[in-house]
Amino acid sequence: MSAEAQARADDPQETSRDTESQTGSSADGPQATTRSTGARAGSGGEAGADGPQEGGRRREADEQGDSLPYGLPGKPLTRGPFLFGLVGGLGVLTAIAIAQMVVHSLSTIILVVVAMFLAVGLNPAVEALQRRGLARRAAISIVFAGVIVAFTLFGLAVVPPVSQQLADFVAAAPGYFTELSRNPTLRQLDTDYQILQQLRTFVTTTLGPSLATGIMGAGLVVLDGVFTTVTLLVLMLYFLGSLHTIKAYLLRLVPASRRERTGAITEQVLSGIGGYVAGNVLISVIAGVLTWIFLSVAGVPYALALALVVALTDLIPLVGATIGAVLVTGVALLGSVPAGIACGVFFVVYQQVENYLIYPRVMKRSVDVTPAVTVIAALFGGALLGIVGALLAIPVAAAIALIIREIVIPRQARY
């Protein structure tokens, strides 16, 4: 044994250090071997390992590309403060644009809503004909033909008397001037102040052009009314024919767990609206028929036209019957004072019969709304949309009351 080995054997610390160095070298050997092996395999085997993965990605992209005709979506944009402000500003501008479009197209929206309202109201008549064995198309054709006949009769009853009265006034206008010129008092005033000359000048220079402009405007109003009526009838026919399809499509937007209950509530709302429209039309027909019978017996001229005016105004809730009664009574007073008084008495008595006998019996199965809610709804509807709003307010209030009764109140009762 050499002196160096003897010294190491005699020194325990040196022996321990030698043992640790040997153990560390032997322990690091496999790791070093693994690292060297991985380094050697990385250069040659990386391409081989990534090849199948890249091919899989490409096949998956191709399959998704087949299902997405516009390609794969890109990465989402980074959500920063600038993007947040930009999206918020675009949202505000979009809301303003939508509001402007609604305001400018309000008349069209009202026309569509009224057409849908009338279609829902006429649907009970169509279903009644279907229960008698007719196909839905045939039933819709019969109901639509009845509506066309009603509009035609109204026009034939109202337009000729108005045209005749205007023609009579125009033909009698020169005679009125002649009679005025023969009056002694007026002749004296004309000698002192030239009243007739100033009247002729006013008629020729101011009243004549104004009347011509008014006639042109009235003609445009009539044409616009005819166009609106035709559009309303076409939309009503479309909605009446596709009512079940529209309802089924809208119900598909509801979650499947709530679809059955929503469908039942929708059916009840639609039946209530249909019953209200049918009942309101029936009450108006009764008012028109009774008014025509009374005016014919009383000898009031243009009894049919005035009766149609009463039937039309009676459709307006709250004030419609009063408006029609005042108009007809005023026309009757112009012809004869006793006839006008008789008309006033007749309408007072009939309003009591309609309010306390006819209306409750007809409307008891259609809408379930308290009188206070009816008045408030009609006032709000009239303030928002005029006559159309007053007509739509009561069934809308009935639908809201039904939803509250069937959904809100039971939910509140559970908690």
Side-chain angles (χ1 to χ4, degrees):
M1 180 181 296
S2 64
E4 184 178 358
Q6 183 66 32
R8 288 180 180 177
D10 294 337
D11 190 357
Q13 295 180 355
E14 186 68 23
T15 305
S16 174
R17 283 197 297 268
D18 292 342
T19 306
E20 289 177 358
S21 63
Q22 292 175 1
T23 305
S25 61
S26 62
D28 291 341
Q31 296 179 0
T33 305
T34 304
R35 285 196 296 269
S36 62
T37 305
R40 287 193 303 270
S43 59
E46 184 175 354
D50 291 343
Q53 295 180 359
E54 185 67 24
R57 292 196 197 98
R58 289 179 180 177
R59 285 194 298 272
E60 183 179 358
D62 293 337
E63 292 176 357
Q64 292 182 355
D66 294 337
S67 60
L68 297 175
Y70 300 106
L72 295 174
K75 295 181 179 180
L77 297 176
T78 304
R79 295 183 179 180
F82 176 77
L83 181 61
F84 180 78
L86 178 62
V87 173
L90 291 177
V92 172
L93 293 177
T94 303
I96 294 174
I98 293 174
Q100 291 291 331
M101 287 189 294
V102 170
V103 170
H104 288 294
S105 60
L106 185 60
S107 59
T108 304
I109 295 174
I110 293 175
L111 190 65
V112 172
V113 171
V114 171
M116 189 68 184
F117 184 75
L118 293 177
V120 172
L122 293 176
N123 189 58
V126 174
E127 292 181 350
L129 293 176
Q130 285 184 276
R131 288 193 295 267
R132 295 181 179 273
L134 291 177
R136 184 167 180 84
R137 290 186 178 181
I140 291 175
S141 301
I142 293 174
V143 173
F144 188 73
V147 173
I148 296 296
V149 170
F151 273 93
T152 304
L153 291 178
F154 179 80
L156 292 177
V158 173
V159 173
V162 174
S163 302
Q164 185 64 36
Q165 290 294 324
L166 290 176
D168 294 343
F169 176 77
V170 172
Y176 295 153
F177 280 103
T178 303
E179 292 179 2
L180 289 175
S181 62
R182 291 176 181 176
N183 188 283
T185 304
L186 189 59
R187 290 178 64 180
Q188 183 63 37
L189 293 174
D190 181 55
T191 303
D192 296 337
Y193 303 103
Q194 291 79 37
I195 294 178
L196 293 180
Q197 182 62 35
Q198 293 180 8
L199 186 60
R200 291 190 185 94
T201 303
F202 172 75
V203 170
T204 55
T205 59
T206 304
L207 186 60
S210 299
L211 287 176
T213 305
I215 291 173
M216 290 291 295
L220 293 177
V221 169
V222 170
L223 289 178
D224 183 69
V226 172
F227 176 76
T228 302
T229 303
V230 173
T231 305
L232 179 65
L233 292 176
V234 172
L235 287 175
M236 184 186 68
L237 179 62
Y238 169 75
F239 286 137
L240 194 60
S242 58
L243 185 61
H244 293 300
T245 304
I246 295 174
K247 183 174 62 177
Y249 178 78
L250 293 178
L251 285 176
R252 290 176 61 187
L253 302 178
V254 180
S257 59
R258 303 179 181 178
R259 194 169 298 166
E260 183 177 358
R261 179 172 172 79
T262 304
I265 295 176
T266 303
E267 286 292 339
Q268 193 168 354
V269 170
L270 293 179
S271 62
I273 294 175
Y276 171 78
V277 174
N280 206 7
V281 171
L282 179 60
I283 293 173
S284 299
V285 170
I286 293 173
V289 171
L290 293 179
T291 303
W292 175 68
I293 293 173
F294 172 79
L295 295 179
S296 300
V297 173
V300 179
Y302 308 114
L304 181 59
L306 295 176
L308 289 175
V309 170
V310 171
L312 183 63
T313 56
D314 198 71
L315 293 171
I316 305 173
L318 301 180
V319 297
T322 304
I323 293 174
V326 170
L327 290 176
V328 174
T329 303
V331 172
L333 281 173
L334 294 176
S336 173
V337 175
I341 296 174
C343 284
V345 174
F346 165 76
F347 282 115
V348 169
V349 174
Y350 174 74
Q351 285 303 311
Q352 306 306 315
V353 174
E354 179 182 302
N355 292 334
Y356 295 102
L357 183 63
I358 299 176
Y359 190 88
R361 291 178 178 271
V362 173
M363 292 295 185
K364 64 180 180 179
R365 295 184 179 179
S366 57
V367 292
D368 185 14
V369 184
T370 59
V373 175
T374 301
V375 174
I376 294 172
L379 290 177
F380 272 101
L384 292 175
L385 298 176
I387 297 176
V388 176
L391 290 173
L392 300 178
I394 296 177
V396 170
I400 294 174
L402 174 64
I403 293 173
I404 293 175
R405 186 173 64 249
E406 296 293 333
I407 297 178
V408 178
I409 294 179
R411 181 178 297 174
Q412 296 296 327
R414 289 196 298 265
Y415 297 101

